Amino acid sequence: MSSDTSSIESQIQLLVERLQTAKATLEQDQQSEAAWNEVANTFQSFADAAREESARTPIGESAAVSLIVSLEKLNKQQHTQVNIQAMRVFANICVDHEGNRKKLFEENAFDGILEILKQTTDTDVTKMACGALLNSTVSFEPSQNKVIELGGIEQLLKVLQSEGIKENEVNMTIACRVTNNLSELDAGVQAIIKSGGLRVIVQLLERTCKDVDAYLDLIDAATDILRTVSSKESVQRAIHEEGLVPALLDIIEDAGTTDEGKTEEEKKEDEKKFGETKAAIVEIVVSVTLTDANMVPIFEDKKIMNRFLAWLDLADREDLQTCAALCMGNVARKDDHCIKLVHAYHALEPLIHVVRKATDLKASHAATGVLRNLALPEVNRDVMGDAGVIQACFPLLKKDNALPLQNNVVGILKRLCTNNSHNTVRIISGREPFETLSSIPHAEGDIETPLSTLVDAIKRTDDFPLKSEGTRTLCNLIKVTWGSETMKGFDAASVSALQQTLNRSEVVLLIAAMIRNPKYLVLQNEGVIALALLATSPPQGKNAVLEELVSQIVEEKPDPETVIAEEPLDQSKPLTLLETLLALIKNKESKCPDEVRTNICVFLRNALDAAVRDGEDPAYTTFLKSSGIKDSLTEVKDQAETSPLVRAAMEEVLTRLE
């Protein structure tokens, strides 16, 4: 067909007239072979022309689509060439052409397409019908809805169940692509579930994955459907309820490409392609374990859980280790599950093995994610500490290229040391609780400990969650070391050594920075409590708490992204630690609870007591008495709305300023 627009339109008009003539004949005699041959030839001319982009709009604007739909209704005998060429026209005119997709929808073309797909046993007709559906439904919701409404999913699934995969591979691949188009809609997802489509697709994957090299494209197309629908909770439930998880696990574990008869380039290309497909299947399985409805039944399925545990031991299959750990982390979202994983399934040893040996950060991240969950129940913490979780995990804090991994490790340390003296000792000293702790704390450059590695990570990072959670971990360590009943099991010299290790400038500066940032009041309060405790113990060397309290040097203004709009402080300029504390006490915007204001007063009281300790520089006391603390507290104390609790705490500070 000529590329000239006027010539194209005139040629299309001639073809339309030929169809009109043939239609008139067939309306009188549907058995006319000559007329049907004319129809097939004319359809072919349209289809061939529509391979050129310039012809698609003129064909769509002509009467061609309407005539094709009408003639297909007359095609009771299902003439093969007529059907093939009609489907070719529909497929070709819809390539990159939404207007023609709309045209097919408006002309009710889908009734005929699906009827052809339902009736035919010819593989070529099936291929062309699937191609027409593929191009006409891509990114066009009205057509997708119509095909679903007419039972298109059911017909496509029948194609996927064809007996001979080799003979039907192309048809099945196209049918998968169409099904994937339709699964973009909730109605399509529900139709797949209702029609048993999930089982059909998984069975297709089982069949094709026996010879991955032969069916790479089909495997990829079938996986795409599951990948599209697996984000839906209804699908996640159905995959488990229909017992499809073991089959997917078999595919992940056993399926793979071969190297036979391939060049190096072909090997790499096939490995990469199937690797991406297998990663998608892993994502599907992980999503199935994520939904709350599946958490208990999957956890109670011993075959699945034991398989995950076995995978963790496969050092040469980090893909399986990653999948197993991610799934275990998803079902370990209840305390009783976490407890059972530690005490009944004995999951700690294989998880620690993955953390220590994995070369793939994905595997390390997945394993530490499980350990982070397992550290939540208090009953697990001693067992995890004894098993070596802290020693295995803390070196990963150096992985600055893996922020999620660092966050997991901080979460593990934070949870394990909460209300637990043994793990607190392990983190601070790098030693076991039964070892001698009363020696002088590690000096700068001494043996690396979880504490020193954590402090370094907090100092290096610009990530607010990592910085804040890491600093909260420091606060937890201080609370346990100073205030936990469980520390009474250690001698005074050991406790003093631990306290001196924490009571250092590098720790104090990080906590002070958290207090100075007004994003979260709860973090400020935790920091205040930690410094109040630090202030009660004499440091070794210069008093870092007092140094920071009297310091007039401030960091740059906090990043605007880490500061909420409703700030309790005046952020027109950066504030020192003392200015921040006094602003919170004044509470001009009534956002600071009495509990926090009281804790600040306790800190100031402890700091003033520390300043008059034997051996302390009297300049601390001189500065604090002249710093404005007295005026600020007196002003607030005399206000009628100040609570008795806050007023009493202020009195204790004021008596020390006399």
Side-chain angles (χ1 to χ4, degrees):
M1 187 173 282
S2 170
S3 60
D4 177 73
T5 303
S6 60
S7 177
I8 291 173
E9 291 176 352
S10 63
Q11 291 177 66
I12 288 172
Q13 184 56 37
L14 288 174
L15 294 174
V16 167
E17 289 171 1
R18 282 165 57 182
L19 286 183
Q20 289 170 333
T21 301
K23 179 186 174 189
T25 301
L26 291 168
E27 285 174 338
Q28 299 301 316
D29 178 11
Q30 291 186 15
Q31 307 301 318
S32 173
E33 287 298 323
W36 282 120
N37 287 337
E38 179 72 358
V39 168
N41 290 334
T42 307
F43 283 179
Q44 182 175 357
S45 296
F46 273 123
D48 291 346
R51 287 184 295 191
E52 298 295 329
E53 183 180 354
S54 58
R56 292 169 195 159
T57 296
I59 292 174
E61 291 176 348
S62 73
V65 173
S66 176
L67 284 165
I68 294 171
V69 171
S70 300
L71 285 162
E72 279 296 347
K73 289 179 181 177
L74 296 173
N75 187 15
K76 306 296 185 185
Q77 294 179 307
Q78 295 290 312
H79 291 275
T80 299
Q81 278 304 308
V82 171
N83 286 341
I84 287 175
Q85 299 306 330
M87 296 303 99
R88 284 188 65 223
V89 178
F90 289 162
N92 290 353
I93 66 172
C94 288
V95 174
D96 298 327
H97 204 299
E98 186 170 325
N100 285 345
R101 294 175 197 140
K102 184 178 180 182
K103 185 74 171 179
L104 262 63
F105 173 74
E106 292 173 343
E107 294 292 346
N108 296 315
F110 295 105
D111 300 76
I113 297 173
L114 290 171
E115 185 61 26
I116 290 170
L117 191 59
K118 182 178 180 180
Q119 296 293 335
T120 189
T121 57
D122 186 284
T123 56
D124 289 335
V125 174
T126 299
K127 178 170 69 175
M128 296 307 168
C130 288
L133 288 173
L134 178 63
N135 292 352
S136 60
T137 59
V138 63
S139 303
F140 193 66
E141 189 171 324
S143 294
Q144 293 171 348
N145 267 319
K146 188 64 176 177
V147 173
I148 295 166
E149 178 189 318
L150 293 171
I153 294 283
E154 292 82 347
Q155 296 305 317
L156 291 162
L157 291 175
K158 288 180 181 178
V159 176
L160 299 186
Q161 293 172 288
S162 302
E163 287 189 10
I165 299 180
K166 188 173 183 179
E167 300 82 0
N168 293 282
E169 180 189 0
V170 174
N171 295 357
M172 297 167 88
T173 303
I174 300 172
C176 283
R177 301 294 185 208
V178 182
T179 305
N180 194 38
N181 283 353
L182 303 181
S183 67
E184 294 173 2
L185 303 184
D186 287 340
V189 174
Q190 294 310 309
I192 290 172
I193 296 173
K194 186 177 179 181
S195 304
L198 296 173
R199 181 173 297 280
V200 170
I201 296 163
V202 172
Q203 287 175 341
L204 176 59
L205 286 172
E206 287 184 291
R207 294 163 66 196
T208 51
C209 281
K210 292 175 182 177
D211 189 354
V212 170
D213 296 283
Y215 304 117
L216 265 174
D217 289 337
L218 178 53
I219 293 168
D220 183 57
T223 303
D224 275 346
I225 303 171
L226 292 181
R227 179 163 37 193
T228 299
V229 302
S230 63
S231 62
K232 303 290 185 181
E233 186 178 349
S234 56
V235 173
Q236 295 163 357
R237 289 200 310 269
I239 288 175
H240 172 65
E241 290 167 0
E242 295 180 27
L244 302 177
V245 172
L248 292 172
L249 296 180
D250 286 342
I251 293 167
I252 294 169
E253 183 169 5
D254 300 329
T257 59
T258 63
D259 295 340
E260 189 176 346
K262 298 179 184 176
T263 65
E264 286 301 317
E265 187 175 343
E266 288 171 337
K267 290 177 190 176
K268 290 179 181 178
E269 186 177 337
D270 286 353
E271 285 175 6
K272 180 182 178 184
K273 184 170 184 177
F274 187 63
E276 292 170 352
T277 299
K278 187 178 280 192
I281 298 174
V282 169
E283 288 177 14
I284 291 159
V285 171
V286 171
S287 74
V288 172
T289 63
L290 183 60
T291 184
D292 290 344
N294 289 342
M295 180 167 56
V296 172
I298 288 179
F299 186 80
E300 292 178 350
D301 190 323
K302 289 187 177 180
K303 286 186 178 180
I304 291 178
M305 292 302 296
N306 285 330
R307 190 166 190 176
F308 289 153
L309 287 166
W311 280 7
L312 292 177
D313 284 327
L314 301 177
D316 60 334
R317 290 293 303 274
E318 292 190 4
D319 59 327
L320 300 184
Q321 291 180 325
T322 302
C323 178
L326 289 171
C327 291
M328 289 176 69
N330 285 342
V331 298
R333 288 178 288 122
K334 291 180 63 178
D335 277 6
D336 59 326
H337 288 187
C338 291
I339 293 167
K340 193 171 181 180
L341 276 172
V342 170
H343 297 271
Y345 279 111
H346 306 292
L348 289 179
E349 185 177 344
L351 286 168
I352 291 171
H353 178 77
V354 175
V355 170
R356 288 188 183 277
K357 301 295 183 181
T359 57
D360 186 348
L361 290 178
K362 292 178 183 177
S364 301
H365 177 247
T368 53
V370 185
L371 291 170
R372 183 176 183 173
N373 287 0
L374 298 184
L376 198 52
E378 193 166 352
V379 69
N380 282 352
R381 293 172 191 163
D382 274 327
V383 180
M384 293 180 71
D386 292 343
V389 169
I390 293 169
Q391 290 299 322
C393 291
F394 87 83
L396 298 177
L397 287 171
K398 301 174 191 174
K399 302 283 187 182
D400 290 342
N401 61 330
L403 183 60
L405 177 60
Q406 290 177 309
N407 275 307
N408 276 350
V409 175
V410 167
I412 292 167
L413 298 180
K414 179 170 175 278
R415 289 175 178 178
L416 287 182
C417 73
T418 300
N419 300 321
N420 190 291
S421 58
H422 285 185
N423 288 333
T424 295
V425 169
R426 290 182 174 106
I427 294 171
I428 296 172
S429 68
R431 305 178 186 179
E432 286 301 307
F434 52 80
E435 295 182 47
T436 302
L437 302 175
S438 55
S439 58
I440 297 174
H442 301 308
E444 197 79 30
D446 273 1
I447 186 171
E448 185 178 63
T449 66
L451 175 63
S452 66
T453 308
L454 174 62
V455 169
D456 288 343
I458 299 169
K459 287 159 66 175
R460 287 195 312 271
T461 188
D462 292 324
D463 180 68
F464 179 75
L466 179 60
K467 190 178 287 288
S468 60
E469 286 303 292
T471 308
R472 293 180 82 184
T473 304
L474 298 178
C475 295
N476 275 2
L477 293 170
I478 291 167
K479 289 175 189 175
V480 174
T481 308
W482 264 262
S484 173
E485 287 292 317
T486 57
M487 291 304 295
K488 291 182 178 178
F490 297 92
D491 62 272
S494 294
V495 174
S496 177
L498 294 169
Q499 290 178 345
Q500 288 178 15
T501 304
L502 287 168
N503 201 356
R504 292 183 171 189
S505 175
E506 57 185 0
V507 174
V508 171
L509 286 172
L510 293 174
I511 296 173
M514 185 171 76
I515 296 171
R516 291 179 54 249
N517 191 325
K519 184 172 176 65
Y520 295 115
L521 195 55
V522 65
L523 301 187
Q524 292 180 294
N525 188 45
E526 288 185 25
V528 166
I529 293 171
L531 292 189
L533 292 170
L534 282 178
T536 64
S537 178
Q540 188 179 54
K542 186 169 284 191
N543 194 313
V545 175
L546 292 178
E547 279 291 308
E548 184 61 20
L549 191 58
V550 303
S551 175
Q552 297 300 296
I553 301 172
V554 294
E555 300 173 3
E556 292 296 317
K557 186 174 179 178
D559 187 335
E561 292 186 5
T562 69
V563 180
I564 55 175
E566 299 79 20
E567 297 171 0
L569 306 179
D570 175 12
Q571 286 294 301
S572 58
K573 65 179 182 68
L575 301 180
T576 65
L577 175 61
L578 182 56
E579 289 170 338
T580 301
L581 297 173
L582 294 180
L584 288 168
I585 286 177
K586 290 177 182 178
N587 195 25
K588 289 184 178 179
E589 297 183 14
S590 302
K591 293 180 179 179
C592 189
D594 285 350
E595 177 192 355
V596 178
R597 299 165 79 198
T598 301
N599 288 337
I600 293 170
C601 290
V602 171
F603 171 37
L604 293 175
R605 181 200 69 192
N606 291 354
L608 287 163
D609 287 345
V612 297
R613 254 192 230 117
D614 288 343
E616 286 293 0
D617 189 336
Y620 291 134
T621 302
T622 302
F623 176 88
L624 292 172
K625 286 187 175 183
S626 62
S627 64
I629 298 176
K630 182 175 182 180
D631 291 342
S632 296
L633 266 61
T634 301
E635 176 188 344
V636 176
K637 182 176 75 72
D638 292 340
Q639 293 171 357
E641 63 269 22
T642 301
S643 71
L645 178 68
V646 175
R647 187 174 285 114
M650 289 180 176
E651 287 285 3
E652 291 204 33
V653 179
L654 290 170
T655 57
R656 287 163 171 78
L657 292 170
E658 295 299 332

